């Protein structure tokens, strides 16, 4: 049994035929070859798979591909514009917000959901928001610094 | 995960008809428990009926002296709702501390209570605030809704449509969260309303329960000292890698004290 899933991915209309049990993350990675979204735990714990569905951050390992039929999906690949990094990505680079980089796409996507609703978060708010994002390299200090810097750059329209 | 047939229901009627026609149907709300359970092959429905497209199941409204919250309302919506924050701030705060932001963006009130996880937060709110669960068939008082470990009064294919929370005079919820998942190792909701004081405990036992001795003591005087000396028996409480029954019994008193302090504070 297969279903056709159509969605807007990073501004472009795409569709794919998948089995009903296909997870959103495997639609992205295996069917559409967008491998920026990672799978860390596959058990809804780590946040490496965070993407946006209709402007809210979600764990794409805990959604079915069928559930995003007709939705607007944004992944890490959709952030850079004309070869220029998004200010939040740039802030991660400037502040050493990544070590191995495995958790980074999820961290960035999660951070952008925070900043969309709270443009000037406190350090505490950033730390609380990252409850669902684990960094196995444990570089939390610089991740928090990066997000605060990224939020600041975004406030300036950078 | 085993394969299944997926359908997105457009109305309540549509959902219950699809469930009745299927060999072994399961409703899906936020999927935050169901999808992990299916991945582990602990559930293997033939048909998955997604309630996500039924607009009438979602939303928060004032209904006389109560708040009515639709079953498909996400935790994040309850947490950020001005209506909830002003009428029952304890409920908004409870929702704001469920899991993490991504769990709150998907997980729903209906899914949480239908699942009846012993460590879930909402059961304490329903029983503590003396809520009523509305389904496509009837109304069920919160006291009768939770019947045991992952067990509720719901019949086969019955759909929760909304929960009605009477607005209390004072209420607060305090939990000792599991540091990894944020589920309640023990969580206590204390509520003072026109018809009396309620103390509801989640996380400690197989299912949410009330503490009669604490309710009586608090009815005389709503102060943390009133519950300080009251311990629930550890018999029948949960023991797991996170905490022993003895420790949970201890936490019930500590969380109750803090909840009373927060409610009057
Ligand atoms: C990492 C993580 C951390 C979490 N932390 C917490 C926490 O701290 N506290 C807490 O309380 N919870 C926690 N949860 C659980 C979460 O809050 C979800 O609410 C819960 O998983 C179920 O809600 P859901 O909407 O996702 O339901 P689903 O997973 O979609 O469904 C669960 C069950 O309910 C049934 N169901 C759903 N809706 C209805 C309905 N309207 N009528 C009848 N039956 C229905 C389904 O058939 C299924 O059997 C956590 C989950 C995860 C993954
Ligand atoms: S891979 Fe989705 S939360 Fe870890
Ligand atoms: S940088 Fe390695 S997991 Fe976070």
């Amino acid at each position: 049994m297969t279903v056709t899933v159509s969605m807007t991915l990073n501004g472009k209309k795409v569709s794919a035929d998948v089995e009903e049990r296909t997870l959103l993350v495997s639609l992205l990675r295996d069917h559409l070859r967008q491998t920026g979204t990672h799978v860390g735990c596959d058990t809804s714990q780590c946040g490496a798979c965070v993407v946006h569905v209709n402007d809210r951050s979600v764990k794409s390992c805990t959604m079915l591909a069928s559930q995003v039929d007709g939705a607007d999906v944004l992944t890490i690949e959709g952030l850079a514009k004309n070869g220029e990094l998004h200010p939040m990505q740039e802030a991660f680079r400037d502040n050493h917000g990544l070590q191995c980089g495995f958790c980074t796409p999820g961290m960035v996507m999660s951070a952008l959901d925070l900043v969309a609703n709270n443009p000037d978060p406190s350090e505490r708010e950033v730390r609380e928001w990252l409850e669902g994002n684990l960094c196995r390299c444990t570089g939390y200090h610089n991740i928090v610094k990066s997000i605060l810097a990224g939020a600041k750059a975004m406030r300036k329209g950078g | 995960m085993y394969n299944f047939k997926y359908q997105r229901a457009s109305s309540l009627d549509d959902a219950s008809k699809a469930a009745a026609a299927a060999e072994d149907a399961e409703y899906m709300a936020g999927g935050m428990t169901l999808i992990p359970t299916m991945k582990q092959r602990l559930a293997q429905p033939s048909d998955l009926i997604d309630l996500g497209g039924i607009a009438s199941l979602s939303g928060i409204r004032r209904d006389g002296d109560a708040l009515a919250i639709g079953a498909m309302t996400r935790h994040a919506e309850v947490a950020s709702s001005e209506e909830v924050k002003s009428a029952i701030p304890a409920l908004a705060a409870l929702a704001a501390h469920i899991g993490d932001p991504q769990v709150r963006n998907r997980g729903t009130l209906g899914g949480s209570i239908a699942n009846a996880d012993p460590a879930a937060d909402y059961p304490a709110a329903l029983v503590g605030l003396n809520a009523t669960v509305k389904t496509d068939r009837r109304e069920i008082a919160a006291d009768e809704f939770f019947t045991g470990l992952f067990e509720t009064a719901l019949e086969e294919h019955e759909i929760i449509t909304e929960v009605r929370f009477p607005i209390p005079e004072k209420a607060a919820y305090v939990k000792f969260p599991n540091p990894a998942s944020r589920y309640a190792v023990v969580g206590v909701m204390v509520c003072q309303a026109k018809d009396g004081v309620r103390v509801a405990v989640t996380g400690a036992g197989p299912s949410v329960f009330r503490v009669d001795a604490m309710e009586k003591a608090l009815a005389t005087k709503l102060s943390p000292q009133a519950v300080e000396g009251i311990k629930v028996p550890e018999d029948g409480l949960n023991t797991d890698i996170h905490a022993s029954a003895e420790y949970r019994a201890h936490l019930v008193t500590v969380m109750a004290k803090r909840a009373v302090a927060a409610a009057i504070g």
Side-chain angles (χ1 to χ4, degrees):
Chain A
M1 288 183 288
T2 61
V3 281
T4 304
V5 176
S6 304
M7 61 176 168
T8 306
L9 176 62
N10 301 328
K12 282 205 223 63
K13 294 233 174 294
V14 297
S15 64
D17 293 329
V18 298
E19 272 190 309
E20 274 99 330
R21 63 177 159 181
T22 306
L23 298 170
L24 172 56
V25 71
S26 90
L27 168 65
L28 294 170
R29 289 179 54 87
D30 306 333
H31 296 262
L32 301 169
R33 311 307 292 172
Q34 301 290 303
T35 54
T37 302
H38 292 164
V39 181
C41 65
D42 196 25
T43 57
S44 335
Q45 316 285 325
C46 77
C49 65
V50 171
V51 302
H52 293 194
V53 173
N54 295 334
D55 297 326
R56 305 305 295 259
S57 60
V58 303
K59 291 174 178 171
S60 61
C61 74
T62 313
M63 256 185 104
L64 300 173
S66 311
Q67 287 178 285
V68 301
D69 190 37
D72 204 344
V73 178
L74 179 70
T75 68
I76 192 78
E77 286 93 345
L79 297 186
K81 291 274 159 358
N82 307 318
E84 267 194 45
L85 292 181
H86 184 283
M88 187 60 79
Q89 292 175 301
E90 194 66 52
F92 269 72
R93 185 159 82 174
D94 292 345
N95 291 280
H96 294 281
L98 54 155
Q99 294 180 51
C100 77
F102 195 84
C103 68
T104 314
M107 290 285 179
V108 170
M109 298 313 289
S110 187
L112 288 175
D113 191 16
L114 167 67
V115 175
N117 299 299
N118 181 0
D120 190 6
S122 66
E123 179 181 332
R124 193 194 158 110
E125 285 170 330
V126 171
R127 288 186 186 274
E128 283 176 356
W129 186 265
L130 293 181
E131 177 61 42
N133 291 89
L134 303 181
C135 174
R136 197 62 186 84
C137 301
T138 69
Y140 294 104
H141 192 67
N142 283 355
I143 291 170
V144 173
K145 244 170 82 182
S146 304
I147 294 173
L148 291 170
K152 192 167 168 196
M154 287 169 69
R155 286 199 299 280
K156 288 194 186 137
Chain B
M1 192 179 337
Y2 292 110
N3 212 5
F4 48 81
K5 233 169 84 200
Y6 171 89
Q7 25 188 334
R8 199 182 297 185
S10 53
S11 67
L12 269 181
D13 198 41
D14 193 22
S16 51
K17 279 199 182 119
E23 189 188 321
D24 179 16
E26 187 84 25
Y27 298 122
M28 180 164 67
M32 296 310 296
T33 294
L34 188 54
I35 293 175
T37 311
M38 288 170 63
K39 284 184 185 179
Q40 291 176 296
R41 298 188 167 182
L42 294 173
Q44 39 183 299
S46 64
D47 290 67
L48 209 54
I49 298 160
D50 190 348
L51 304 177
I54 309 176
S56 65
L57 287 183
S58 200
I60 299 165
R61 64 190 166 82
R62 183 74 181 247
D63 176 16
D65 55 1
L67 279 184
I69 305 185
M72 281 301 295
T73 312
R74 316 274 173 188
H75 307 327
E77 294 167 60
V78 175
S80 64
S81 154
E82 291 306 325
E83 190 87 61
V84 181
K85 281 199 247 178
S86 71
I88 318 181
L91 188 60
L94 175 148
H97 290 96
I98 293 177
D100 58 53
Q102 289 72 38
V103 168
R104 297 195 290 273
N105 278 343
R106 299 292 309 161
T108 67
L109 169 59
S112 176
I113 63 173
N115 192 52
D117 190 299
D121 295 300
Y122 268 126
L126 266 74
V127 172
L129 297 168
N130 196 11
T132 305
V133 179
K134 290 194 180 176
T135 75
D136 56 345
R137 300 174 199 176
R138 58 191 168 137
E139 296 194 355
I140 310 167
D143 281 340
E144 268 88 62
F145 183 81
F146 299 99
T147 54
L149 185 73
F150 294 107
E151 293 285 341
T152 69
L154 290 175
E155 291 162 2
E156 197 178 16
H157 301 151
E158 188 170 4
I159 304 175
I160 301 166
T161 55
E162 74 176 18
V163 179
R164 197 171 177 280
F165 294 95
I167 296 169
E169 288 160 8
K170 294 189 170 97
Y173 175 71
V174 175
K175 72 169 157 176
F176 187 89
N178 175 311
S181 72
R182 302 282 141 181
Y183 271 108
V185 175
V186 168
V188 178
M189 174 69 93
V190 170
C191 161
Q192 184 182 50
K194 272 190 232 83
D195 49 359
V197 178
R198 284 178 164 247
V199 177
V201 178
T202 191
S207 180
V208 57
F209 61 87
R210 290 169 63 186
V211 186
D212 196 47
M214 288 187 180
E215 292 182 356
K216 287 210 175 85
L218 291 169
T220 314
K221 190 167 182 344
L222 197 67
S223 86
Q225 288 75 34
V227 293
E228 194 165 55
I230 302 174
K231 264 198 93 179
V232 298
E234 59 185 81
D235 275 3
L237 296 192
N238 305 333
T239 286
D240 55 27
I241 55 166
H242 307 300
S244 63
E246 185 190 4
Y247 185 47
R248 280 190 163 89
H250 170 74
L251 282 178
V252 171
T253 307
V254 178
M255 295 302 120
K257 243 177 88 178
R258 290 185 192 168
V260 176
I264 60 177

